[in-house]
């Protein structure tokens, strides 16, 4: 399965932090899990403007599944004003805070994914307090501070169904390559728990399967 031309076009004009090669790997994993007997939705932590959401959404749409994408849309530490990844275009001038929700909505509309992707606006651990559904595939790409990454792992990973996939973005073994929180607070604990085994790695994307 491949992304259709329209979704590819939308992807090309959607702001975000996921390189195509990693997006393709995420897409392939999502297609596989959607075709498998593992039930449940795909859940994404960290929608931003919807780049990774388009890949996940395209895979789910083909299989009649749902993607729930969670974000408070106020940005992470590293995307605030003054930081390397800050984009002034995503600031709500009225309150001088980031607001990426309008960009996500535009991407979902243009990519014809409104029937498939449910956007949940809220802080990830807060949303998790009302979550009880088993998840076929969980993609964690939210806050990259140690506290946020640890909270995402703690609040969501146990909902991954047996045979389901835990995907983690921005995993760097070497601190010289990037921040360590996804590696130290999500990837390592998941493997060390003995509950997850690694099934794939592309760039900084890691794919784990729940035993
Ligand atoms: N997956 C996106 C990039 C996500 S960037 C892509 O591929 O393009 C990380 C996102 O996580 C930001 O939009 C930020 O607002 C969100 N975020 C950070 N901490 C969060 C938290 N505690 N709860 C909800 N969202 C959070
Ligand atoms: Mg990322």
């Amino acid at each position: 399965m491949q992304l259709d031309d329209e979704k590819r076009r939308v992807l090309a004009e959607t702001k975000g932090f996921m390189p195509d090669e990693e997006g393709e790997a995420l897409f392939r994993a999502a297609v596989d899990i959607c075709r498998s007997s593992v039930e449940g939705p795909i859940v994404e932590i960290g929608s931003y403007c919807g780049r990774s959401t388009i890949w996940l959404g395209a895979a789910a749409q083909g299989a009649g599944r749902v993607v729930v994408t969670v974000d408070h849309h106020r940005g992470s530490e590293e995307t605030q004003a003054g930081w390397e990844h800050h984009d002034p275009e995503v600031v709500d001038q009225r309150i001088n805070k980031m607001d990426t929700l309008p960009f996500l909505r535009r991407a979902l509309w243009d990519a014809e994914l409104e029937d498939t992707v449910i956007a949940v606006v809220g802080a990830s651990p807060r949303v998790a307090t009302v979550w009880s559904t088993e998840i076929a595939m969980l993609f964690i790409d939210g806050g990259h501070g140690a506290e946020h990454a640890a909270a995402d792992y703690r609040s969501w990973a146990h909902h991954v169904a047996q045979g389901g996939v835990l995907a983690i973005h921005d995993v760097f073994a070497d601190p010289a390559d990037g921040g360590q929180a996804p590696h130290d607070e999500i990837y390592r604990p998941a493997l060390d728990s003995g509950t997850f085994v690694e099934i794939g790695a592309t760039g900084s994307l890691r794919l784990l399967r729940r035993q």
Side-chain angles (χ1 to χ4, degrees), residues 112-156:
E112 298 179 353
L113 284 169
E114 286 199 345
D115 64 343
T116 297
V117 179
I118 300 168
V120 175
V121 182
S124 150
R126 194 84 175 129
V127 174
T129 62
V130 295
W131 187 273
S132 57
T133 306
E134 283 208 329
I135 297 170
M137 178 168 174
L138 172 66
F139 175 49
I140 303 184
D141 191 20
H144 289 353
E147 203 182 300
H148 290 296
D152 285 344
Y153 176 69
R154 203 170 47 239
S155 348
W156 290 98

Side-chain angles (χ1 to χ4, degrees), residues 72 74-80 98 141-144:
H72 51 40
R74 297 297 183 207
S76 308
E77 290 97 325
E78 65 273 17
T79 53
Q80 300 300 328
M98 284 178 59
D141 191 20
H144 289 353

Side-chain angles (χ1 to χ4, degrees), residues 72-74 80 90-100:
H72 51 40
H73 289 282
R74 297 297 183 207
Q80 300 300 328
V90 301
V91 174
D92 176 350
Q93 298 298 338
R94 195 181 64 88
I95 58 171
N96 202 25
K97 289 203 179 299
M98 284 178 59
D99 182 6
T100 46

Side-chain angles (χ1 to χ4, degrees), residues 16-18 46-48 51-52 71-72 75-76 122-124 141-143 148:
F17 306 107
M18 174 148 287
S47 335
Y48 194 60
R51 259 187 89 70
S52 46
D71 201 312
H72 51 40
S76 308
S124 150
D141 191 20
H148 290 296

Side-chain angles (χ1 to χ4, degrees), residues 36-69:
S36 79
S37 59
V38 181
E39 289 178 20
I42 297 176
V43 173
E44 171 176 67
I45 309 301
S47 335
Y48 194 60
C49 301
R51 259 187 89 70
S52 46
T53 320
I54 293 173
W55 270 296
L56 294 173
Q61 191 171 49
R65 294 212 196 198
V66 157
V67 176
V68 177
T69 186

